[in-house]
Amino acid sequence: MEKLEMIYEGKAKKVFKTDDPKLFIVDYKDDATAFNGLKKGQIGGKGIVNNTMANIIFEMLEKRGIPTHLVKQLSERETLVKAVQILPLEVIIRNVSAGSFSKRYGVEEGILFKKPVLEFSYKNDDLGDPLINDDHILALELTTEEHLADVKKYAYEVNEALKEFFLERDLKLIDFKIEFGLHDGQVILADEISPDTCRLWDVNTNEKMDKDRFRRDLGNVEETYQEVFNRIKK
Ligand code: TMP
Ligand code: ASP
């Protein structure tokens, strides 16, 4: 399968058409951004880590009955995926307070919630991806009630699967962001699951093992991505 015209270039990935209209190829870059693109950099080897890690996780999720875009990995940085129209929603689940939750509500990081917190952001760079609720989503007609119900159901299921998966690798899943798309009229999980899109803390030391090392200039960024990758591959 060959890459044809590029249809989208995001901050961390490029997406290409193929000769099959139902399939795309995604190509992962080492580019990293934060704060809506204000901070820019590169994390050596990140594209390889994120591509392979997302695929290992998507395969695990498929086995648990969650539909994903994964078809097959083509190379270190490239994966053949089902063509989707991405829903303009960042679906975030939080198990422990951190990041924008802590900032917005004035609480310390590290508070374990009694139940997972689901939140949505409207994927819109010009507006800075604002927080949005179910009624806003329906008022703006970003998706239908039926598809929104699927998104929420899958998001909680992904959380349960990921918590278990990471804990087996001595990582606590603090929070994460996922994206969904429509393929043949069905909601499926798309985009990626990686240290770019999850907060992962070492179970024993609470050390940050994710993109916060880049966002907050904590050092050892590349080494941390490799360490997470080593734990995942086992
Ligand atoms: P937040 O605390 O900054 O809102 O981030 C919540 C989770 O979402 C965290 O795991 C990082 C992830 N995330 C992304 O994947 N992309 C983004 O653009 C942002 C802001 C967060
Ligand atoms: N995707 C975000 C951006 O560049 C980065 C982040 O994960 O914080 O805006």
Side-chain angles (χ1 to χ4, degrees):
M1 192 68 72
E2 256 182 72
K3 288 196 275 199
L4 300 178
E5 178 198 349
M6 183 169 79
I7 49 162
Y8 173 81
E9 178 161 14
K11 296 181 187 114
K13 295 188 284 295
K14 295 177 186 171
V15 183
F16 296 86
K17 282 189 178 172
T18 67
D19 56 22
D20 182 338
K22 293 205 162 182
L23 298 173
F24 290 158
I25 291 172
V26 291
D27 189 340
Y28 284 70
K29 306 188 278 187
D30 286 348
D31 296 349
T33 64
F35 316 117
N36 202 12
L38 235 59
K39 182 182 172 91
K40 286 193 177 71
Q42 290 236 319
I43 302 173
K46 174 170 86 78
I48 298 170
V49 171
N50 289 10
N51 183 35
T52 312
M53 176 169 164
N55 291 341
I56 291 170
I57 291 174
F58 283 169
E59 217 173 286
M60 179 274 293
L61 294 174
E62 287 276 357
K63 282 191 192 133
R64 297 178 66 135
I66 298 159
T68 79
H69 72 173
L70 176 64
V71 177
K72 90 173 201 265
Q73 187 160 333
L74 300 175
S75 71
E76 281 187 320
R77 290 174 183 275
E78 295 165 311
T79 294
L80 187 65
V81 298
K82 292 177 182 163
V84 294
Q85 207 186 340
I86 289 279
L87 301 178
L89 296 173
E90 301 205 332
V91 183
I92 294 158
I93 294 223
R94 302 178 187 275
N95 297 303
V96 174
S97 65
S100 69
F101 182 97
S102 288
K103 202 169 171 200
R104 179 175 304 113
Y105 304 114
V107 295
E108 63 188 306
E109 297 199 314
I111 303 164
L112 177 66
F113 300 134
K114 289 202 176 65
K115 64 185 206 92
V117 173
L118 181 144
E119 75 189 37
F120 295 109
S121 295
Y122 176 24
K123 245 174 94 76
N124 185 319
D125 281 340
D126 293 339
L127 299 176
D129 298 342
L131 193 68
I132 188 171
N133 72 18
D134 293 40
D135 286 343
H136 298 148
I137 290 168
L138 298 176
L140 293 169
E141 299 186 6
L142 302 184
T143 188
T144 63
E145 232 166 328
E146 291 71 26
H147 288 154
L148 186 58
D150 287 340
V151 163
K152 290 165 81 166
K153 177 170 86 78
Y154 290 145
Y156 287 118
E157 289 173 2
V158 169
N159 185 44
E160 292 311 310
L162 284 185
K163 273 200 292 190
E164 202 177 293
F165 176 86
F166 284 123
L167 206 54
E168 283 167 3
R169 290 151 177 91
D170 282 347
L171 294 165
K172 267 192 284 192
L173 179 63
I174 304 303
D175 57 31
F176 63 94
K177 183 267 303 181
I178 47 181
E179 296 183 22
F180 293 88
L182 292 182
H183 179 82
D184 285 342
Q186 301 291 312
V187 172
I188 66 172
L189 185 62
D191 193 50
E192 68 182 85
I193 295 179
S194 72
D196 275 13
T197 63
C198 299
R199 282 198 175 91
L200 302 166
W201 294 0
D202 182 86
V203 160
N204 298 306
T205 64
N206 273 340
E207 196 181 344
K208 294 180 177 23
M209 306 285 288
D210 56 61
K211 195 176 163 191
D212 272 348
R213 302 206 72 83
F214 168 79
R215 296 190 189 98
R216 304 179 186 189
D217 296 318
L218 300 176
N220 290 332
V221 183
E222 284 163 19
E223 294 80 354
T224 301
Y225 275 71
Q226 290 303 327
E227 170 60 20
V228 170
F229 193 32
N230 289 339
R231 294 193 197 184
I232 296 314
K233 282 188 294 186
K234 278 182 207 153

